[in-house]
Amino acid sequence: MNRISIALREFLKEETLEIFNNQQHQFASLSDDEEIIVVINECGEENLYLQTGTEQAILAFGEWRKIYDDTLEEIDALKYDIEQILTNQSYVWTIIDAPNCIVGYVSDQGIQYLTDTNEFGWNYQSSNEFFKTIAKDEGSQNFLFWHPGHQVIEPSQFLM
């Protein structure tokens, strides 16, 4: 077990977790110091996944992915992001217009876009081109909250 896993297990001790490592045959490709921590979502659609190692951790929720280093500041940032997801203070926004897709992580600090889904660098605040295309092609959008019954969306930011 690595120090990120130790910190996250302590931080998430009140949550229902499943832990996977290379001792389970389906996860044999993980290194000895890697774990996958799954935070079970008992009231929503998606679990929260954390892959940890000695040098970094990856947070995955729905289509969103973010990498954190093993510094104390980054581990604190990871804990903060997890807390924001678990309390519905942040969520994942996915806009789909085949073959285009943008995945964003919406928090009180604005929207971060998943780089490999935003190859044109579109930003809902600075470019309407993508949104006009979606509206014309009858594209769709999805809002992924930890607890769907308590979602709060700022409608002025999104397609209507």
Side-chain angles (χ1 to χ4, degrees):
M1 188 177 351
N2 58 69
R3 79 181 190 134
I4 300 172
S5 285
I6 293 168
L8 291 178
R9 285 182 184 208
E10 176 61 27
F11 178 70
L12 295 166
K13 65 184 174 196
E14 301 297 320
E15 302 296 327
T16 304
L17 304 177
E18 287 186 14
I19 312 288
F20 301 98
N21 57 39
N22 65 3
Q23 294 177 2
Q24 289 123 333
H25 74 278
Q26 54 284 44
F27 296 96
S29 63
L30 293 174
S31 301
D32 287 340
D33 66 334
E34 288 183 303
E35 283 189 336
I36 296 176
I37 301 171
V38 182
V39 183
I40 305 299
N41 186 344
E42 298 179 12
C43 56
E45 300 171 7
E46 284 282 336
N47 295 325
L48 187 126
Y49 297 88
L50 300 152
Q51 183 171 348
T52 68
T54 55
E55 296 182 10
Q56 69 181 17
I58 301 170
L59 168 98
F61 184 55
E63 298 296 317
W64 179 252
R65 305 286 181 274
K66 186 172 180 182
I67 298 173
Y68 302 80
D69 292 330
D70 70 338
T71 65
L72 293 176
E73 295 82 15
E74 287 281 302
I75 293 171
D76 285 344
L78 173 56
K79 289 177 183 178
Y80 177 81
D81 288 347
I82 292 168
E83 182 68 26
Q84 293 299 296
I85 291 170
L86 297 182
T87 59
N88 271 17
Q89 300 301 307
S90 61
Y91 53 93
V92 177
W93 174 37
T94 306
I95 310 162
I96 302 164
D97 175 41
N100 301 310
C101 171
I102 289 183
V103 177
Y105 176 75
V106 183
S107 68
D108 58 358
Q109 298 166 355
I111 297 179
Q112 301 170 51
Y113 294 100
L114 196 59
T115 306
D116 61 349
T117 68
N118 193 14
E119 61 189 54
F120 298 109
W122 279 319
N123 182 325
Y124 83 93
Q125 293 176 319
S126 63
S127 173
N128 290 325
E129 184 178 344
F130 183 69
F131 301 103
K132 287 178 184 174
T133 302
I134 290 173
K136 182 180 73 175
D137 296 344
E138 297 182 4
S140 64
Q141 60 185 337
N142 177 46
F143 301 94
L144 176 62
F145 285 83
W146 182 256
H147 193 301
H150 297 102
Q151 59 188 356
V152 179
I153 298 170
E154 177 52 53
S156 65
Q157 297 178 353
F158 307 104
L159 306 172
M160 295 296 140

Coordinates of all heavy atoms in Angstrom, one line a residue, residues 78-136:
L78 N -6.8 16.5 -4.0 CA -7.6 15.3 -4.3 C -8.7 15.1 -3.3 O -9.9 14.8 -3.7 CB -6.7 14.1 -4.4 CG -7.3 12.7 -4.5 CD1 -8.2 12.6 -5.8 CD2 -6.2 11.6 -4.5
K79 N -8.4 15.2 -2.0 CA -9.4 15.0 -1.0 C -10.5 16.1 -1.2 O -11.7 15.8 -1.0 CB -8.8 15.2 0.4 CG -7.9 14.0 0.8 CD -7.3 14.3 2.1 CE -6.4 13.2 2.6 NZ -5.7 13.6 3.9
Y80 N -10.1 17.3 -1.5 CA -11.1 18.4 -1.7 C -12.0 18.1 -2.8 O -13.3 18.2 -2.7 CB -10.4 19.7 -1.9 CG -11.3 20.9 -2.2 CD1 -12.0 21.5 -1.2 CD2 -11.6 21.3 -3.5 CE1 -12.8 22.6 -1.4 CE2 -12.4 22.3 -3.8 CZ -13.1 22.9 -2.7 OH -13.9 24.0 -3.0
D81 N -11.5 17.6 -4.0 CA -12.3 17.3 -5.1 C -13.2 16.1 -4.8 O -14.4 16.1 -5.2 CB -11.4 16.9 -6.3 CG -10.7 18.2 -6.9 OD1 -11.1 19.3 -6.6 OD2 -9.8 18.0 -7.7
I82 N -12.8 15.1 -4.1 CA -13.6 14.0 -3.7 C -14.8 14.5 -2.8 O -15.9 14.1 -3.0 CB -12.8 12.9 -2.9 CG1 -11.8 12.2 -3.8 CG2 -13.7 11.9 -2.3 CD1 -10.8 11.4 -3.1
E83 N -14.4 15.3 -1.8 CA -15.5 15.9 -0.9 C -16.5 16.7 -1.7 O -17.7 16.6 -1.5 CB -14.8 16.7 0.2 CG -15.8 17.3 1.1 CD -16.5 16.2 2.0 OE1 -15.8 15.2 2.3 OE2 -17.6 16.5 2.5
Q84 N -16.1 17.4 -2.7 CA -17.0 18.2 -3.5 C -17.9 17.3 -4.3 O -19.1 17.6 -4.4 CB -16.2 19.1 -4.5 CG -15.4 20.2 -3.8 CD -16.3 21.2 -3.0 OE1 -17.1 21.8 -3.6 NE2 -16.1 21.2 -1.7
I85 N -17.4 16.2 -4.8 CA -18.3 15.3 -5.6 C -19.2 14.6 -4.6 O -20.4 14.6 -4.9 CB -17.4 14.2 -6.3 CG1 -16.6 14.9 -7.5 CG2 -18.3 13.1 -6.8 CD1 -15.6 14.0 -8.1
L86 N -18.8 14.1 -3.5 CA -19.6 13.4 -2.6 C -20.7 14.3 -1.9 O -21.7 13.7 -1.5 CB -18.8 12.7 -1.5 CG -17.8 11.7 -1.9 CD1 -17.1 11.1 -0.7 CD2 -18.4 10.6 -2.7
T87 N -20.5 15.6 -1.9 CA -21.5 16.5 -1.4 C -22.3 17.2 -2.5 O -23.0 18.2 -2.2 CB -20.9 17.5 -0.4 OG1 -19.9 18.2 -1.1 CG2 -20.3 16.8 0.8
N88 N -22.2 16.8 -3.7 CA -22.9 17.4 -4.9 C -22.5 18.9 -5.1 O -23.2 19.6 -5.7 CB -24.4 17.3 -4.7 CG -24.9 16.0 -5.3 OD1 -24.2 15.1 -5.6 ND2 -26.2 16.0 -5.6
Q89 N -21.3 19.3 -4.6 CA -20.9 20.6 -4.8 C -20.2 20.7 -6.2 O -20.0 21.8 -6.7 CB -19.9 21.1 -3.8 CG -20.5 21.1 -2.4 CD -21.7 22.0 -2.3 OE1 -21.6 23.2 -2.6 NE2 -22.8 21.5 -1.8
S90 N -19.8 19.6 -6.8 CA -19.3 19.6 -8.2 C -19.9 18.4 -8.9 O -20.3 17.4 -8.2 CB -17.8 19.6 -8.1 OG -17.3 18.5 -7.5
Y91 N -19.8 18.4 -10.2 CA -20.4 17.3 -11.0 C -19.7 17.3 -12.3 O -18.9 18.2 -12.7 CB -21.9 17.5 -11.1 CG -22.3 18.8 -11.6 CD1 -22.5 19.0 -13.0 CD2 -22.5 19.9 -10.7 CE1 -22.9 20.3 -13.4 CE2 -22.9 21.1 -11.2 CZ -23.1 21.3 -12.5 OH -23.5 22.5 -13.0
V92 N -20.0 16.2 -13.1 CA -19.4 16.1 -14.4 C -20.5 16.4 -15.5 O -21.6 15.9 -15.4 CB -18.9 14.6 -14.6 CG1 -18.4 14.4 -16.0 CG2 -17.9 14.3 -13.6
W93 N -20.1 17.2 -16.4 CA -21.0 17.7 -17.5 C -20.5 17.1 -18.8 O -19.3 17.4 -19.2 CB -21.0 19.2 -17.5 CG -21.8 19.9 -18.6 CD1 -22.9 19.5 -19.2 CD2 -21.4 21.1 -19.2 NE1 -23.3 20.4 -20.1 CE2 -22.4 21.4 -20.2 CE3 -20.4 22.0 -19.1 CZ2 -22.4 22.5 -21.0 CZ3 -20.4 23.1 -19.9 CH2 -21.4 23.4 -20.9
T94 N -21.2 16.3 -19.5 CA -20.8 15.8 -20.8 C -21.8 16.3 -21.9 O -23.0 16.1 -21.7 CB -20.9 14.2 -20.7 OG1 -20.1 13.8 -19.6 CG2 -20.3 13.6 -22.0
I95 N -21.1 16.8 -22.9 CA -21.9 17.3 -24.0 C -21.6 16.4 -25.2 O -20.4 16.2 -25.5 CB -21.5 18.7 -24.4 CG1 -21.5 19.6 -23.2 CG2 -22.4 19.3 -25.5 CD1 -20.7 20.9 -23.4
I96 N -22.6 15.8 -25.8 CA -22.4 14.9 -26.9 C -23.0 15.3 -28.2 O -24.2 15.7 -28.2 CB -22.9 13.5 -26.5 CG1 -22.3 13.0 -25.2 CG2 -22.7 12.5 -27.6 CD1 -23.0 11.9 -24.6
D97 N -22.2 15.4 -29.2 CA -22.7 15.7 -30.6 C -21.9 14.8 -31.5 O -20.8 15.2 -31.9 CB -22.6 17.2 -30.9 CG -23.0 17.4 -32.3 OD1 -24.0 16.9 -32.8 OD2 -22.3 18.2 -33.0
A98 N -22.3 13.6 -31.8 CA -21.5 12.7 -32.5 C -21.0 13.3 -33.8 O -21.7 14.0 -34.5 CB -22.4 11.4 -32.9
P99 N -19.7 13.2 -34.1 CA -18.7 12.5 -33.3 C -18.0 13.3 -32.3 O -17.0 12.8 -31.7 CB -17.7 12.1 -34.4 CG -17.7 13.3 -35.3 CD -19.1 13.8 -35.3
N100 N -18.5 14.5 -32.0 CA -17.8 15.3 -31.0 C -18.3 15.1 -29.6 O -19.5 14.7 -29.4 CB -18.0 16.8 -31.3 CG -17.4 17.1 -32.7 OD1 -16.3 16.8 -33.0 ND2 -18.3 17.8 -33.5
C101 N -17.5 15.3 -28.6 CA -17.9 15.2 -27.2 C -16.9 16.1 -26.4 O -15.7 16.2 -26.6 CB -17.7 13.7 -26.8 SG -17.9 13.5 -25.0
I102 N -17.5 16.8 -25.4 CA -16.7 17.5 -24.4 C -17.1 17.1 -23.0 O -18.3 16.9 -22.7 CB -16.9 19.0 -24.6 CG1 -16.3 19.6 -25.8 CG2 -16.3 19.8 -23.4 CD1 -16.4 21.1 -26.0
V103 N -16.1 16.8 -22.2 CA -16.4 16.4 -20.8 C -15.8 17.5 -19.9 O -14.6 17.9 -20.1 CB -15.7 15.1 -20.5 CG1 -15.9 14.7 -19.0 CG2 -16.2 14.0 -21.4
G104 N -16.6 18.0 -19.1 CA -16.2 19.1 -18.1 C -16.5 18.7 -16.7 O -17.4 17.9 -16.4
Y105 N -15.7 19.2 -15.8 CA -15.9 19.1 -14.4 C -16.2 20.4 -13.8 O -15.5 21.4 -13.9 CB -14.5 18.6 -13.8 CG -14.6 18.4 -12.3 CD1 -15.2 17.4 -11.7 CD2 -14.0 19.4 -11.4 CE1 -15.3 17.2 -10.3 CE2 -14.0 19.2 -10.1 CZ -14.6 18.2 -9.5 OH -14.7 18.0 -8.1
V106 N -17.5 20.5 -13.3 CA -18.0 21.8 -12.9 C -17.9 21.9 -11.4 O -18.3 21.0 -10.6 CB -19.5 21.9 -13.3 CG1 -20.1 23.3 -12.9 CG2 -19.7 21.7 -14.8
S107 N -17.2 23.0 -10.9 CA -17.1 23.2 -9.5 C -17.3 24.7 -9.2 O -17.5 25.5 -10.1 CB -15.7 22.8 -9.0 OG -14.7 23.6 -9.6
D108 N -17.1 25.1 -8.0 CA -17.2 26.5 -7.6 C -16.1 27.3 -8.3 O -16.2 28.6 -8.3 CB -17.3 26.7 -6.1 CG -16.0 26.1 -5.4 OD1 -15.1 25.6 -6.1 OD2 -15.9 26.3 -4.2
Q109 N -15.1 26.7 -8.8 CA -14.0 27.4 -9.5 C -14.2 27.5 -11.0 O -13.3 27.9 -11.7 CB -12.7 26.8 -9.2 CG -12.4 26.8 -7.7 CD -11.3 25.9 -7.3 OE1 -10.8 25.1 -8.1 NE2 -10.9 25.9 -6.0
G110 N -15.4 27.1 -11.5 CA -15.7 27.1 -12.9 C -15.7 25.7 -13.5 O -16.0 24.8 -12.8
I111 N -15.4 25.7 -14.8 CA -15.4 24.4 -15.5 C -14.0 24.1 -16.0 O -13.3 24.9 -16.6 CB -16.4 24.4 -16.7 CG1 -17.8 24.6 -16.2 CG2 -16.3 23.1 -17.5 CD1 -18.8 24.7 -17.3
Q112 N -13.5 22.8 -15.7 CA -12.3 22.3 -16.2 C -12.7 21.3 -17.3 O -13.6 20.5 -17.1 CB -11.5 21.6 -15.2 CG -11.1 22.4 -14.0 CD -10.5 21.4 -12.9 OE1 -9.6 20.7 -13.2 NE2 -11.0 21.5 -11.7
Y113 N -12.1 21.4 -18.5 CA -12.4 20.5 -19.6 C -11.4 19.4 -19.6 O -10.2 19.6 -19.5 CB -12.5 21.2 -20.9 CG -13.6 22.2 -20.9 CD1 -13.4 23.6 -20.7 CD2 -14.9 21.8 -21.2 CE1 -14.4 24.5 -20.8 CE2 -16.0 22.7 -21.2 CZ -15.7 24.0 -21.0 OH -16.7 24.9 -21.0
L114 N -11.8 18.2 -19.9 CA -10.9 17.0 -20.2 C -10.2 17.3 -21.5 O -10.9 17.3 -22.6 CB -11.7 15.8 -20.2 CG -11.0 14.4 -20.1 CD1 -10.2 14.4 -18.8 CD2 -12.0 13.3 -20.1
T115 N -8.9 17.5 -21.5 CA -8.2 18.0 -22.6 C -8.4 17.1 -23.9 O -8.7 17.7 -25.0 CB -6.7 18.0 -22.3 OG1 -6.5 18.8 -21.1 CG2 -5.9 18.6 -23.4
D116 N -8.4 15.8 -23.8 CA -8.5 15.0 -25.0 C -9.9 15.0 -25.6 O -10.1 14.4 -26.6 CB -7.9 13.6 -24.8 CG -8.7 12.8 -23.7 OD1 -9.5 13.4 -23.0 OD2 -8.4 11.6 -23.6
T117 N -10.9 15.5 -24.9 CA -12.2 15.7 -25.5 C -12.5 17.1 -26.0 O -13.5 17.3 -26.6 CB -13.3 15.3 -24.4 OG1 -13.3 16.3 -23.4 CG2 -13.1 14.0 -23.8
N118 N -11.5 18.0 -25.7 CA -11.7 19.4 -26.1 C -10.6 19.8 -27.0 O -9.9 20.8 -26.8 CB -11.8 20.2 -24.9 CG -12.3 21.6 -25.1 OD1 -12.8 21.9 -26.2 ND2 -12.1 22.5 -24.2
E119 N -10.4 19.1 -28.1 CA -9.3 19.3 -29.0 C -9.3 20.7 -29.7 O -8.3 21.2 -30.1 CB -9.1 18.2 -30.0 CG -10.3 18.1 -30.9 CD -10.3 16.8 -31.8 OE1 -10.1 15.7 -31.3 OE2 -10.4 17.0 -33.0
F120 N -10.5 21.3 -29.8 CA -10.6 22.6 -30.4 C -10.5 23.8 -29.3 O -10.6 24.9 -29.7 CB -11.9 22.8 -31.1 CG -12.0 21.8 -32.3 CD1 -12.9 20.7 -32.2 CD2 -11.2 21.9 -33.4 CE1 -13.0 19.8 -33.3 CE2 -11.3 21.0 -34.5 CZ -12.2 20.0 -34.4
G121 N -10.3 23.4 -28.1 CA -10.2 24.4 -27.0 C -11.4 25.2 -26.8 O -11.4 26.4 -26.3
W122 N -12.6 24.6 -27.1 CA -13.8 25.4 -26.9 C -14.1 25.6 -25.4 O -13.8 24.8 -24.6 CB -15.0 24.6 -27.5 CG -15.1 24.9 -29.0 CD1 -15.0 26.0 -29.7 CD2 -15.4 23.9 -30.0 NE1 -15.1 25.8 -31.0 CE2 -15.4 24.5 -31.2 CE3 -15.7 22.5 -29.9 CZ2 -15.7 23.9 -32.4 CZ3 -16.0 21.9 -31.1 CH2 -16.0 22.5 -32.3
N123 N -14.7 26.7 -25.1 CA -15.1 27.1 -23.8 C -16.5 27.7 -23.8 O -16.7 28.6 -24.6 CB -14.1 28.1 -23.2 CG -14.4 28.5 -21.8 OD1 -15.6 28.6 -21.3 ND2 -13.4 28.7 -21.0
Y124 N -17.4 27.2 -23.0 CA -18.8 27.7 -23.1 C -18.9 29.2 -23.0 O -19.8 29.8 -23.5 CB -19.7 26.9 -22.2 CG -19.7 27.5 -20.8 CD1 -20.6 28.4 -20.4 CD2 -18.7 27.1 -19.9 CE1 -20.6 28.9 -19.1 CE2 -18.7 27.6 -18.6 CZ -19.6 28.5 -18.2 OH -19.6 29.1 -17.0
Q125 N -18.0 29.8 -22.3 CA -18.0 31.2 -22.0 C -17.5 32.0 -23.2 O -17.8 33.2 -23.3 CB -17.3 31.6 -20.7 CG -17.9 31.0 -19.5 CD -17.1 31.3 -18.2 OE1 -15.9 31.2 -18.3 NE2 -17.8 31.7 -17.2
S126 N -16.6 31.4 -24.0 CA -16.0 32.2 -25.0 C -16.3 31.8 -26.4 O -16.0 32.5 -27.4 CB -14.5 32.2 -24.8 OG -14.0 30.8 -25.0
S127 N -17.0 30.7 -26.6 CA -17.3 30.2 -28.0 C -18.6 29.6 -28.0 O -18.9 28.6 -27.3 CB -16.2 29.3 -28.5 OG -16.6 28.7 -29.7
N128 N -19.5 30.0 -28.9 CA -20.8 29.4 -29.1 C -20.9 28.5 -30.2 O -21.9 27.8 -30.5 CB -21.9 30.5 -29.3 CG -22.1 31.3 -28.0 OD1 -22.0 30.7 -26.9 ND2 -22.4 32.6 -28.1
E129 N -19.8 28.3 -31.0 CA -19.7 27.5 -32.2 C -20.2 26.1 -31.9 O -21.0 25.5 -32.6 CB -18.4 27.6 -32.8 CG -18.3 26.8 -34.2 CD -16.9 26.9 -34.8 OE1 -16.1 27.8 -34.3 OE2 -16.6 26.1 -35.6
F130 N -19.5 25.5 -30.9 CA -19.9 24.1 -30.6 C -21.3 23.9 -30.2 O -22.0 23.0 -30.6 CB -18.9 23.6 -29.5 CG -19.1 22.1 -29.2 CD1 -18.8 21.1 -30.1 CD2 -19.6 21.7 -28.0 CE1 -18.9 19.8 -29.8 CE2 -19.8 20.4 -27.6 CZ -19.4 19.4 -28.6
F131 N -21.8 24.9 -29.4 CA -23.2 24.8 -28.9 C -24.2 25.0 -30.0 O -25.2 24.4 -30.0 CB -23.3 25.7 -27.7 CG -22.4 25.5 -26.6 CD1 -21.3 26.2 -26.4 CD2 -22.6 24.4 -25.8 CE1 -20.4 25.9 -25.4 CE2 -21.7 24.1 -24.8 CZ -20.6 24.8 -24.6
K132 N -23.9 25.9 -30.9 CA -24.8 26.0 -32.1 C -24.9 24.7 -32.9 O -25.9 24.3 -33.3 CB -24.3 27.2 -33.0 CG -24.5 28.5 -32.4 CD -24.0 29.6 -33.3 CE -24.1 31.0 -32.6 NZ -23.4 32.0 -33.4
T133 N -23.7 24.1 -33.1 CA -23.7 22.8 -33.8 C -24.5 21.7 -33.0 O -25.3 21.0 -33.6 CB -22.2 22.3 -33.9 OG1 -21.5 23.3 -34.6 CG2 -22.1 21.0 -34.6
I134 N -24.3 21.7 -31.7 CA -25.1 20.7 -30.9 C -26.6 21.0 -31.1 O -27.4 20.1 -31.3 CB -24.7 20.8 -29.4 CG1 -23.3 20.2 -29.3 CG2 -25.7 20.0 -28.6 CD1 -22.8 20.4 -27.9
A135 N -27.0 22.2 -30.9 CA -28.4 22.6 -31.0 C -29.0 22.2 -32.4 O -30.1 21.6 -32.5 CB -28.6 24.1 -30.8
K136 N -28.2 22.5 -33.5 CA -28.6 22.2 -34.8 C -28.7 20.7 -35.0 O -29.7 20.2 -35.7 CB -27.7 22.8 -35.8 CG -28.1 22.6 -37.3 CD -27.1 23.2 -38.2 CE -25.8 22.3 -38.2 NZ -24.7 22.7 -39.1

